[in-house]
Amino acid sequence: PPTKSMALTKNRLEAMPCGGGSPLAHSLMLAAQTALNTMKVKQDVGRVVIVLITDGRANIPLELSMDHTFTPSTDPESKDGMPSRKFLKDEALACAKKLAAVKELDFVVIDTEDVFTRTGIARDIATAALGKYVHLDKTDSMSVAHVARQNIRNEMEEV
């Protein structure tokens, strides 16, 4: 849920599970929907900032995360009934572009991807969403909270 509290954000980050499947496109769509609903319901919400923390490794297609099935024919490069990396990247970028269309929304991508195996998808998402990009070598709740706080302050100063 949305919050203005950095302390609450830090606590939520510490409790957040990491690893496993990454429905990146679905996460972007849910974040956008939550932000839009918040702006619609609360007139005094102020500037809405979505902070995406990702290693850029999407591995669950939107279709699968929403209705638990994936239709391989939607991706000509799919193998063994699973989508290709290109399909997953394109899907995430399409969702990010939708975020760019919402002018009242700011977007920050915190990239946690290992520097030696970097694919660049997190940076591409930030670019597509017209957002800011930050790479963190050390990913802990303090570092993430610091980056989020800095970017929220910067957005408020620009308004």
Side-chain angles (χ1 to χ4, degrees), residues 2-84:
T3 183
K4 292 181 181 181
S5 167
M6 288 309 294
L8 184 56
T9 299
K10 183 178 173 284
N11 290 339
R12 288 178 180 166
L13 286 171
E14 288 173 350
M16 188 180 300
C18 295
S22 299
L24 192 52
H26 193 205
S27 299
L28 290 167
M29 295 309 295
L30 285 175
Q33 183 178 30
T34 302
L36 290 170
N37 287 343
T38 300
M39 289 187 287
K40 189 173 165 182
V41 172
K42 296 182 178 180
Q43 298 301 319
D44 65 340
V45 73
R47 197 83 185 149
V48 175
V49 180
I50 294 175
V51 179
L52 173 67
I53 305 164
T54 184
D55 62 3
R57 295 208 181 334
N59 54 21
I60 298 177
L62 188 58
E63 183 181 19
L64 182 62
S65 63
M66 293 182 74
D67 69 13
H68 307 293
T69 60
F70 172 68
T71 310
S73 61
T74 60
D75 176 13
E77 298 174 28
S78 69
K79 293 180 184 166
D80 301 322
M82 292 306 293
S84 65

Side-chain angles (χ1 to χ4, degrees), residues 64-107:
L64 182 62
S65 63
M66 293 182 74
D67 69 13
H68 307 293
T69 60
F70 172 68
T71 310
S73 61
T74 60
D75 176 13
E77 298 174 28
S78 69
K79 293 180 184 166
D80 301 322
M82 292 306 293
S84 65
R85 288 185 186 188
K86 180 186 179 318
F87 179 87
L88 293 166
K89 177 183 178 180
D90 291 347
E91 189 176 65
L93 292 176
C95 292
K97 286 177 185 174
K98 290 180 182 178
L99 288 173
V102 183
K103 300 301 177 204
E104 303 82 19
L105 182 66
D106 295 314
F107 188 68

